[in-house]
Amino acid sequence: MILVVAEQRGGALNPATWETVAAAQQTGESITVALVGADVQKLAAELAAAEVAEVLAVEHDALEPYTPDGFVAALAQVMEKACPELVLFPHTYQTRDYAPALAARLGRVFIPDCIASKVRDGQRVFVRPMFQGKFMADVLPQGPAPHFASFQIGACRADACARGAAPAPVREAAVEIDAAAIRQRPEAPFKEAKQAVDLTQAERIVAVGRGIKGQEHLPVAQDLAKALDAELAASRPICDSGWLPMDRQIGSSGQTVAPKLYLAVGISGAIQHLVGMKGARTIVAVNKDADAPIFEVADYGIVGDLFEVVPAIMAALEGEA
Amino acid sequence: MKIAVCIKQVVTRDWPLRVAESATWVRDDDASFEMNEPDAYALEEALRLKELLGGEVVVCSAGPARVSQVIREALARGADRAIHVEGEALAAAEADAVAAALAGAMEGESFDLVLTGLQSDDQGFGQTGVVLAERLGLPHATIIMEVDVADDGGSLRVKRELESGWFQWVSMPLPALLTIQSGINQLRYATLRGIMAAKRKEILTVPAQSAETAGQRILELYVPEKSSATRFIDGSAPEAARELVRLLREEARVL
Ligand SMILES: Cc1cc2nc3c(=O)[nH]c(=O)nc-3n(C[C@H](O)[C@H](O)[C@H](O)COP(=O)(O)OP(=O)(O)OC[C@H]3O[C@@H](n4cnc5c(N)ncnc54)[C@H](O)[C@@H]3O)c2cc1C
């Protein structure tokens, strides 16, 4: 049996949950979904629509809001009773926060951030990126079951999740939690004060990455943005270095945009960046590395030095104006 | 405050990496190496906390002999001393094995605060810190963008990054472990004085104890198959640029 750990916050399921259920369905094994929180019956019923054997509602007052201590304690008990062969998670910030501790407590292996699982020489292996996406690895989990793995957001399509002919049974899984033993005291999530620039409305975006080398070279990208009547945006390291304000960052921890044109210069195309821009209608990438992952999503690519290519684009725009 | 910072040495970002003949790891014997970027931010945060609250910053690194390079660099930036858990196999080890090696060497030190980067640029497990917390019995929080230590020094309030621009404050008692996100602060670089001073700082080298760890075996490492329909535009920069502008105007119609 495969146990899928669903994720919810504030009365809504994280849509990545459906992707992970879809990934589990591809194995053809029997699936149980566990949902953890204080009052999850409604969401458990929602999950029961998927083609799965059972949904476990793991409820306790001490499990809302989320804490790593609470979730490790609860899910360790669930694992002991359910005895799954495999436990799958969506690779969210929350999974990153507690699943490694859960695996360590149970002495189990946890293969994170997978994009697929497949059978190789009769064994189930997991495919995950390494070295910032430059390589993929087929990884074989070792040691006793259950093995843990998490699936990268977007690795499976949520709409690939098959629905059952009838709702799956929802069962309560009782857990004992000592609220006093939970060491983290979380406050309510918040967003930083309203952002000065709203890139989600931009029709055209020029995004600059670490290939720009130094703050003193930023005008290269700024001028291109101006010439294209585009907003200037950036990958995270540019904002981390303080070269551009945080509200110009695109990606999982920045803004998600879908402009008509997204022109990425000197951006490698890490998954955390791609999730924020792959919905753009036309993507152009300028990168000196022909193997850069950004070319996996680009419609047009120029392999070359941005310090030559960008001025040439400016000249071409002027020449035809 | 006695602060530990765990630092990993990784292959330099721009190094043209190739898969090794074994097809289970990269060819890195001639590579150049650097400090894992989020770990550099963790070190900076530790140095700032020490400047604010006093105490000591101890660099802990698990890896083969070559990691002494990043240890020296951390000492040059201002760390006080270092523990090097040495083992050849740690170079390509999984997070659980690295955390076990670090935990063995750190247990007796009774650190008030342990900082790690949130993940490494090579294997990218994002687990070493969290597993280390579990092994040391410490409360933890991950992907941290701000650290406030309470006036009495007994607890912490930290800002966790969540997805899509959300954040959350979390409090917990000390001792604790935090995994630090890049961008939490602005990095300092080593000064000549710092580099000179580092030469006199203590590096305690201890052999990695073999520990029972869960285990994940890389069967094969390979360059991902290209599935994209990218239209690559060849030619000199001016030629490619002219063709791109034409395509954006006439084919994509986005200009
Ligand atoms: C939890 C988490 C959240 C994250 N959130 C985000 C996020 O929201 N947004 C985000 O962007 N990242 C995010 N990241 C970071 C992400 O993993 C990558 O590290 C980052 O996107 C890399 O930025 P980059 O492409 O600019 O830099 P690099 O990966 O260093 O790439 C630089 C590129 O420039 C090219 N280049 C260099 N010189 C030249 C030249 N002269 N001409 C042309 N090309 C050149 C190189 O070939 C390379 O491909 C996050 C990471 C984590 C762990």
Side-chain angles (χ1 to χ4, degrees):
Chain A
M1 178 267 280
I2 299 181
L3 184 74
V4 173
V5 182
E7 184 170 314
Q8 57 90 20
R9 192 170 83 203
L13 285 172
N14 185 328
T17 297
W18 299 108
E19 300 178 10
T20 310
V21 174
Q25 286 173 341
Q26 284 169 11
T27 66
E29 312 259 334
S30 164
I31 301 165
T32 296
V33 184
L35 183 62
V36 184
D39 177 15
V40 297
Q41 291 293 339
K42 208 176 119 252
L43 294 179
E46 222 176 277
L47 282 167
E51 192 175 10
V52 297
E54 188 178 42
V55 177
L56 295 179
V58 184
E59 288 185 323
H60 194 289
D61 284 345
L63 294 172
E64 192 68 53
Y66 160 80
T67 57
D69 280 355
F71 270 49
V72 169
L75 283 165
Q77 293 170 46
V78 171
M79 306 284 161
E80 257 161 45
K81 282 202 198 112
C83 299
E85 280 117 58
L86 183 62
V87 186
L88 299 180
F89 305 81
H91 192 68
T92 60
Y93 281 34
Q94 183 165 303
T95 294
R96 295 173 60 122
D97 195 51
Y98 77 91
L102 176 63
R105 181 154 317 168
L106 300 173
R108 300 301 199 273
V109 59
F110 173 28
I111 304 176
D113 201 23
C114 303
I115 59 158
S117 103
K118 61 185 182 190
V119 176
R120 184 179 164 138
D121 303 330
Q123 292 170 304
R124 179 154 301 284
V125 299
F126 294 87
V127 185
R128 66 182 299 268
M130 296 229 289
F131 293 91
Q132 309 260 297
K134 282 191 196 102
F135 303 115
M136 287 293 156
D138 286 358
V139 181
L140 179 69
Q142 314 267 290
H147 299 139
F148 290 31
S150 63
F151 278 92
Q152 198 174 84
I153 311 293
C156 261
R157 293 173 58 109
D159 57 17
C161 178
R163 310 203 135 235
V170 175
R171 189 162 62 82
E172 270 178 54
V175 288
E176 278 171 38
I177 308 283
D178 175 7
I182 296 177
R183 297 164 294 183
Q184 298 90 358
R185 293 271 171 270
E187 298 169 32
F190 65 95
K191 278 204 164 184
E192 295 289 19
K194 189 104 189 83
Q195 292 176 323
V197 268
D198 181 8
L199 297 174
T200 61
Q201 300 305 315
E203 292 220 333
R204 286 179 285 272
I205 290 178
V206 169
V208 57
R210 186 143 43 190
I212 199 77
K213 301 259 166 10
Q215 189 169 20
E216 67 278 16
H217 300 306
L218 270 187
V220 174
Q222 265 152 353
D223 292 347
L224 179 62
K226 206 181 280 161
L228 288 169
D229 192 18
E231 285 283 355
L232 185 64
S235 66
R236 179 163 185 137
I238 301 299
C239 303
D240 282 349
S241 308
W243 299 350
L244 281 176
M246 277 277 260
D247 50 16
R248 296 211 173 253
Q249 180 180 315
I250 303 296
S252 62
S253 49
Q255 300 200 39
T256 299
V257 295
K260 280 202 311 202
L261 172 65
Y262 191 91
L263 204 159
V265 290
I267 290 180
S268 62
I271 175 68
Q272 294 90 353
H273 188 80
L274 298 186
V275 295
M277 47 64 77
K278 65 182 178 196
R281 201 169 88 200
T282 300
I283 298 172
V284 181
V286 177
N287 196 304
K288 66 175 185 188
D289 175 8
D291 289 328
I294 188 79
F295 289 124
E296 279 293 294
V297 300
D299 300 289
Y300 302 108
I302 297 182
V303 178
D305 183 344
L306 73 90
F307 294 104
E308 288 172 22
V309 175
V310 171
I313 297 175
M314 306 269 298
L317 285 167
E318 270 166 34
E320 287 176 41
Chain B
M1 183 124 124
K2 189 170 167 184
I3 310 172
V5 187
C6 300
I7 288 177
K8 185 173 194 180
Q9 187 196 41
V10 295
V11 173
T12 311
R13 193 182 321 280
D14 286 339
W15 189 261
L17 269 180
R18 300 269 174 276
V19 174
E21 241 149 66
S22 65
T24 58
W25 195 242
V26 291
R27 228 167 58 200
D28 61 3
D29 33 321
D30 58 348
S32 71
F33 291 89
E34 64 186 359
M35 194 182 294
N36 183 46
E37 187 170 57
D39 304 358
Y41 283 99
L43 170 65
E44 178 63 41
E45 198 59 24
L47 295 174
R48 287 174 188 226
L49 287 170
K50 180 192 150 177
E51 279 157 13
L52 205 66
L53 306 164
E56 185 188 29
V57 174
V58 182
V59 176
C60 303
S61 188
R66 60 169 160 76
V67 311
S68 59
Q69 172 228 355
V70 291
I71 292 178
R72 284 280 167 218
E73 192 184 328
L75 294 174
R77 288 192 197 181
D80 297 290
R81 64 184 168 94
I83 301 174
H84 177 184
V85 189
E86 196 179 337
E88 269 312 305
L90 289 170
E94 61 192 21
D96 198 20
V98 173
L102 288 169
M106 292 168 72
E107 245 153 13
E109 290 269 357
S110 312
F111 290 109
D112 298 309
L113 180 63
V114 180
L115 303 183
T116 72
L118 84 167
Q119 71 181 48
S120 63
D121 285 348
D122 50 10
Q123 304 219 60
F125 289 126
Q127 297 181 0
T128 304
V130 178
V131 176
L132 182 60
E134 177 67 23
R135 284 186 175 265
L136 293 173
L138 301 177
H140 74 271
T142 55
I143 319 192
I144 298 305
M145 285 297 282
E146 206 173 320
V147 181
D148 281 336
V149 177
D151 289 338
D152 66 0
S155 64
L156 279 175
R157 187 164 172 264
V158 296
K159 189 165 126 191
R160 253 188 93 203
E161 181 180 300
L162 307 175
E163 280 107 339
S164 338
W166 288 85
F167 295 93
Q168 177 180 43
W169 287 96
V170 182
S171 301
M172 74 196 80
L174 285 169
L177 182 145
L178 305 174
T179 79
I180 301 295
Q181 166 70 304
S182 294
I184 183 175
N185 48 40
Q186 294 301 309
L187 300 177
R188 79 187 66 189
Y189 292 95
T191 59
L192 189 60
R193 241 181 87 209
I195 294 168
M196 297 310 287
K199 297 204 164 107
R200 293 187 304 275
K201 290 178 179 171
E202 179 206 348
I203 302 177
L204 176 69
T205 303
V206 295
Q209 305 292 327
S210 66
E212 214 166 287
T213 56
Q216 33 195 306
R217 211 169 96 220
I218 298 173
L219 296 183
E220 189 186 348
L221 192 68
Y222 48 93
V223 177
E225 235 169 77
K226 297 271 174 295
S227 61
S228 79
T230 303
R231 176 140 158 207
F232 284 101
I233 307 171
D234 302 325
S236 67
E239 285 163 7
R242 272 197 299 275
E243 178 63 1
L244 174 68
V245 170
R246 188 190 70 77
L247 288 167
L248 292 180
R249 287 211 168 113
E250 293 169 17
E251 195 179 83
R253 294 174 187 278
V254 287
L255 291 186

